[in-house]
Amino acid sequence: MWDDSFPSFLIGLREGLEAGLVVSVLVATLVRAGARPRLPQVWTGVLAAIALSMSFGAVLTFTAASLSTTAQEAFGGALSIVAVAFVTAMVFWMRRSARSLAGDIKEKVTEALTMGAGVLVLTSFLAVGREGLETALFLWTTARAARESAGPMAGAGAGLVLAALLCWGLYRRVLRINLTRFFTVTGGVLIVIAAGVLGYGLRDLQEGAALPGGTVYAFDLSGSVDAGSWYSTLLQGVLNLTPTMTWLQAVGYAGYLAVVMTLFVRGVRDVPGAAERVATPPPRPDSTPAAQPTAPAANRPRLLLLVAVVAVPALLAGLVVALAHPKPAAGETVAVSGTDCGQGFTAPEPGRQDFRMHNTGNQTSEVYLIDPSTNAVYGEIEGLAPGTTRDLVATVAGGTYAWRCVPADGRAVTSKAVRVGGAAGAHAVVPVSERDLAAPLKAYRAYVNQGLATLVTRTRKLNDDIRAGHLDTARADWLAAHRTYASLGAAYGTFEDFDQKIDGRPDGLPGGVRDKDFTGFLRIEYGLWHGESAAGLRGVAQQLADDTAGLRKAFPHQDFDPSDLPLRAHEILENTLQFELTGDTDQGSGSGLATADANLAGTRELLAVLRPLLTSRAPRLLPTVDADITRLQKLLDSAHRGTVWTPVDRLGPAGKARIDGATGQLLEDLSTVPDLLEIRKSA
C-alpha cells in the first residue's frame, strides 16, 4: 500500500502548491487593494474547481467500470499516456513560470476587479481547475497501476495537506522557500515517475489489443527476482518497473526518460536560480478598509451561487456516469425448461445485459450463458425453481453465445447459438468437471497418504517420549508431529470425526481444557507447557497415537469430494489468519507461526496439483500468488531460529502487521480459485 503512495504524494504536493500559490496571490492582491468583500468570489471559483475535479475522477472510475476487461486495459492505457503528457507539460510550464507567476496573477486580478464578479470567479476557477483536473487524472492512473486506492489516496492527501501548510506559511511570511529550486527538483523526480506511468500505459494498451508486441519481452527476471520482496515492491510502486517488461515498454520508458530529462536539465541551466516569494503578504490590519456591511438579502444570491458551483459539476458527472455506465440493458425474457432452453433468445447488443430467465419447466434447473465452442461460462444462475424468474447480468462482447439448461435430472439442453459482432473481450470461465479434477485429486490423496504415514511415526515417537518421562524431548517431537498434521489442511473435511479427536479445540466444552473430551495435539500441548506430569499425559498421548493410526487406515476408504480441492486453496490460510495468527489455538507452546508455516506448505502443495487447471484459466494469477507465497514465507522464516519460533504475541505491532498483511494479500489473490475451478454441469 505505502509503496504506491509516493508518486501520488509528490503530485499532490506539487499540484497543491501550484494551486495554493495562485490562491494566495489572488487573496493577497484583493486584500491589498482593499477589496475584501470580493474574496467570496475567489472561494466560489476554488470550490467550483474542486467539485469539477472530483466529478472528473468519478467519471473516469465509473466509465472504466462499464467496459469489458480488454476495453478497460485500452482505456486505462490511453489515459495513462494522457496523464504523462499533462505531467510533462506541467513540469516544463512551472519551470518557466515560477518566477513570474505572482506578477501574472496580480495583472489578471486587477483586470478582473474592473470587469465584475463573474470574471474574478472564472479567474480563480481556471487557475485552480487545471491543477485539479491534472491531479484527478494522475491519481486515477496511479491507483489503477497499484490496483488499490488506499495508498495513492493517502499519499495525495498528505501532499495536499503539506502544500496547504506551505502556502499558509508563505502567505503569513513565516516561511521562506526557494520555489525555483523546489519545482526543479520535484520536476526531475516527476519525470522519472512519469516514465514508469508511460511504460505501464503502453503495457495496458498491449493487453487491450491496441498495440502489438504484448508477448515480445525485452527481459524476464521473474525467475531470479522476488516480485514480493520489499525492493521489488518499492520499485514497482514508485517507478512502475517490473521484473518482466516488453520491448515496447522498455523502449518507451528509456526513450521518454532520455529525451525529456535531457530537455529538462538543459532548460534548468538557462533559468536563474534566484528565489521568488510568490505570495504577497496581507496588509496591516489598520490599513485595511472596513468591510462594507452586507444586507441579508444580498447573501442569498451568494449562497445560491456557492451551492450551484458545487452542485452543477456533480450533476454533470452524474449524467456522464449514467450514460457511460448504464444499468444493464433490459434484455428479453428467456424461457428455461428441460426440453426447450433459451426460447426467445436473440443476438443481444454488446455491453452489460440483463437477461430475465423464466423457468417454464417442472424441475429446478441450473442455467448458463456459454460459448458453445469452448463451454466457457459468461454467467450463471444456480437453482432456478419452476415458475420463477430471476435476472442474469452478463457483459456481452464479440463472440458466440448460447444458453445451456441443466435440470435436476441432469440432462443438459443447449439453445441455438447466436453471433454478436464486434471485438472480443467478455470475461468467461472455462468450466471444470469432476473428470478434470480426477488427476489433481489422485495426486493430493497420495500426498495425504504419505503425510499420514509420517504422522503415525511421529505421534508414536511422541507417545514413547511421554511414556519414558522425557518431556523436553516430547515438546520438540510434539511440534514436529503437529506441523505434519497441519500441512494436510485440504483433507480435514474428509477426516470426519478424526479431526476433532486429533486437533480439536477446547472451545465450547463444559470443562474447558480439563474436559474429558478435550484430546489430541492441543490437549498434550496444554499439559506439556503447563507443568503436567508424564503420568497425567500418558493416556492422552496413547489415544492420539491410536487415533492417527486409525485415520491412516480409514483414509483410503473415505469419500474425498473433488470440489474440496479448490475450496481449501483459500480456506486453509483463512483459518490460519483467524486462529493461528491471533493466538486463539495456542495452549502454551507459542508455536502459532510454526503451524502457520505448515499451513502455508499445505497450501503450496495443493496449488501444485491444481496448477495445470489454473494455468489454462488464469495464467496471470499464479505468478501473483507465487510472489505472495514467497513474501509470506520469508516473513515466517525470519520468525524462528531452528526449532525455536517467536510467539505471535511477541512479534511486535509492526512484525505482526507485516505477517497479517502478507497473509491477507495471499488470501485475497486466492479467493478467485474456488470460482475458477467450481464444478459446473455446463461442460
Side-chain angles (χ1 to χ4, degrees):
M1 169 180 165
W2 299 114
D3 43 276
D4 299 311
S5 63
F6 178 72
S8 298
F9 168 78
L10 189 60
I11 200 72
L13 177 60
R14 269 193 64 109
E15 298 281 10
L17 191 56
E18 287 184 36
L21 291 173
V22 169
V23 173
S24 297
V25 173
L26 286 169
V27 171
T29 305
L30 288 174
V31 171
R32 175 163 295 220
R36 280 182 179 272
R38 306 289 293 275
L39 288 178
Q41 297 166 16
V42 173
W43 299 121
T44 298
V46 171
L47 286 174
I50 294 173
L52 178 65
S53 303
M54 296 179 68
S55 300
F56 179 57
V59 168
L60 291 178
T61 301
F62 287 105
T63 299
S66 68
L67 302 174
S68 66
T69 303
T70 302
Q72 284 184 33
E73 299 290 349
F75 180 73
L79 287 182
S80 295
I81 306 301
V82 173
V84 170
F86 278 166
V87 169
T88 306
M90 175 265 290
V91 167
F92 280 91
W93 177 83
M94 200 59 190
R95 189 202 66 194
R96 294 191 306 269
S97 306
R99 292 177 54 80
S100 60
L101 180 63
D104 293 343
I105 295 298
K106 290 174 187 176
E107 183 178 348
K108 291 180 180 179
V109 172
T110 302
E111 294 176 0
L113 285 173
T114 64
M115 298 179 66
V119 178
L120 190 55
V121 171
L122 183 62
T123 300
S124 60
F125 172 78
L126 293 177
V128 178
R130 188 190 67 175
E131 276 74 23
L133 292 175
E134 289 177 354
T135 303
L137 178 57
F138 195 86
L139 279 180
W140 187 85
T141 56
T142 52
R144 190 173 184 278
R147 302 189 185 279
E148 57 98 12
S149 58
M153 292 301 292
L160 290 171
V161 169
L162 180 56
L165 293 175
L166 291 175
C167 289
W168 179 87
L170 289 170
Y171 180 80
R172 303 298 299 179
R173 284 195 170 184
V174 297
L175 186 66
R176 289 182 177 274
I177 297 177
N178 187 321
L179 292 171
T180 301
R181 183 175 300 170
F182 172 83
F183 285 116
T184 298
V185 173
T186 56
V189 176
L190 270 180
I191 288 172
V192 177
I193 292 173
V197 175
L198 176 63
Y200 178 83
L202 292 173
R203 180 58 179 163
D204 269 358
L205 289 172
Q206 289 178 315
E207 293 179 350
L211 289 176
T215 58
V216 183
Y217 296 104
F219 54 85
D220 185 355
L221 306 178
S222 57
S224 56
V225 175
D226 176 17
S229 63
W230 67 268
Y231 54 85
S232 180
T233 302
L234 186 64
L235 286 174
Q236 185 166 345
V238 176
L239 304 179
N240 270 301
L241 286 174
T242 59
T244 303
M245 296 182 72
T246 65
W247 274 107
L248 182 60
Q249 277 184 283
V251 171
Y253 184 99
Y256 172 90
L257 197 58
V259 173
V260 177
M261 188 64 80
T262 299
L263 293 174
F264 182 77
V265 172
R266 183 180 299 169
V268 168
R269 293 172 181 170
D270 299 333
V271 176
E276 174 78 12
R277 177 186 291 278
V278 298
T280 304
R284 298 180 181 274
D286 56 4
S287 65
T288 303
Q292 297 296 323
T294 304
N299 285 332
R300 288 199 201 98
R302 291 184 179 179
L303 180 60
L304 291 175
L305 180 62
L306 286 172
V307 173
V309 297
V310 175
V312 168
L315 290 174
L316 291 176
L319 290 174
V320 173
V321 169
L323 296 174
H325 185 64
K327 293 181 178 179
E332 69 272 8
T333 298
V334 180
V336 174
S337 73
T339 57
D340 190 4
C341 181
Q343 184 178 3
F345 180 48
T346 58
E349 293 294 325
R352 295 177 74 239
Q353 299 291 332
D354 187 350
F355 300 99
R356 296 187 297 273
M357 312 306 299
H358 179 65
N359 190 343
T360 59
N362 56 10
Q363 296 184 66
T364 298
S365 182
E366 311 290 315
V367 184
Y368 303 93
L369 179 62
I370 66 168
D371 178 346
S373 63
T374 63
N375 289 321
V377 177
Y378 293 100
E380 62 185 291
I381 292 178
E382 297 181 354
L384 183 62
T388 61
T389 301
R390 284 162 60 187
D391 288 349
L392 186 152
V393 178
T395 299
V396 175
T400 305
Y401 297 84
W403 292 104
R404 180 162 294 168
C405 306
V406 186
D409 63 12
R411 292 178 294 181
V413 180
T414 304
S415 73
K416 64 179 180 64
V418 300
R419 177 73 186 175
V420 176
H427 177 67
V429 176
V430 178
V432 172
S433 66
E434 289 193 19
R435 183 189 309 170
D436 295 325
L437 284 170
L441 182 61
K442 181 179 179 181
Y444 194 77
R445 288 187 73 104
Y447 165 76
V448 174
N449 271 319
Q450 182 178 356
L452 288 176
T454 303
L455 178 66
V456 168
T457 300
R458 290 181 172 173
T459 52
R460 285 176 179 168
K461 178 66 168 60
L462 173 61
N463 183 36
D464 291 342
D465 293 338
I466 291 176
R467 290 179 66 83
H470 301 152
L471 297 188
D472 288 338
T473 305
R475 293 185 183 93
D477 289 337
W478 174 90
L479 182 58
H482 190 237
R483 280 169 50 81
T484 301
Y485 186 76
S487 68
L488 309 177
Y492 287 172
T494 305
F495 291 167
E496 299 175 349
D497 294 338
F498 283 103
D499 183 50
Q500 180 61 32
K501 296 176 182 178
I502 293 172
D503 205 36
R505 297 188 297 274
D507 306 0
L509 296 177
V513 295
R514 299 296 182 184
D515 196 281
K516 61 181 180 61
D517 291 328
F518 181 35
T519 61
F521 278 113
L522 300 190
R523 171 65 182 89
I524 295 175
E525 177 189 7
Y526 181 85
L528 287 174
W529 274 271
H530 284 82
E532 191 168 350
S533 67
L537 291 172
R538 284 172 186 164
V540 183
Q542 182 63 56
Q543 182 179 351
L544 175 61
D546 292 343
D547 287 337
T548 55
L551 173 59
R552 183 190 179 191
K553 182 178 179 180
F555 178 71
H557 310 289
Q558 290 176 329
D559 183 24
F560 201 140
D561 188 344
S563 64
D564 277 357
L565 290 181
L567 285 174
R568 299 293 184 249
H570 179 264
E571 290 180 351
I572 296 173
L573 290 177
E574 193 173 62
N575 290 336
T576 302
L577 190 62
Q578 181 180 0
F579 298 113
E580 272 68 41
L581 295 183
T582 60
D584 187 68
T585 57
D586 184 29
Q587 301 298 321
S589 66
S591 60
L593 294 181
T595 306
D597 181 72
N599 291 155
L600 183 61
T603 300
R604 187 185 290 108
E605 184 66 31
L606 179 57
L607 289 173
V609 302
L610 294 175
R611 186 171 289 268
L613 294 177
L614 289 171
T615 299
S616 62
R617 287 163 175 80
R620 298 176 64 181
L621 174 64
L622 285 172
T624 301
V625 168
D626 290 342
D628 291 342
I629 289 176
T630 300
R631 177 187 177 197
L632 178 55
Q633 187 66 67
K634 287 185 176 180
L635 291 173
L636 293 174
D637 288 345
S638 67
H640 73 99
R641 295 290 182 272
T643 59
V644 180
W645 290 78
T646 302
V648 171
D649 59 2
R650 296 183 188 174
L651 281 173
K656 177 71 162 53
R658 282 193 292 270
I659 291 178
D660 286 349
T663 307
Q665 183 62 57
L666 177 54
L667 271 173
E668 182 178 342
D669 291 330
L670 288 174
S671 63
T672 60
V673 173
D675 184 61
L676 288 170
L677 303 185
E678 178 185 354
I679 295 177
R680 291 178 169 90
K681 298 178 182 178
S682 64

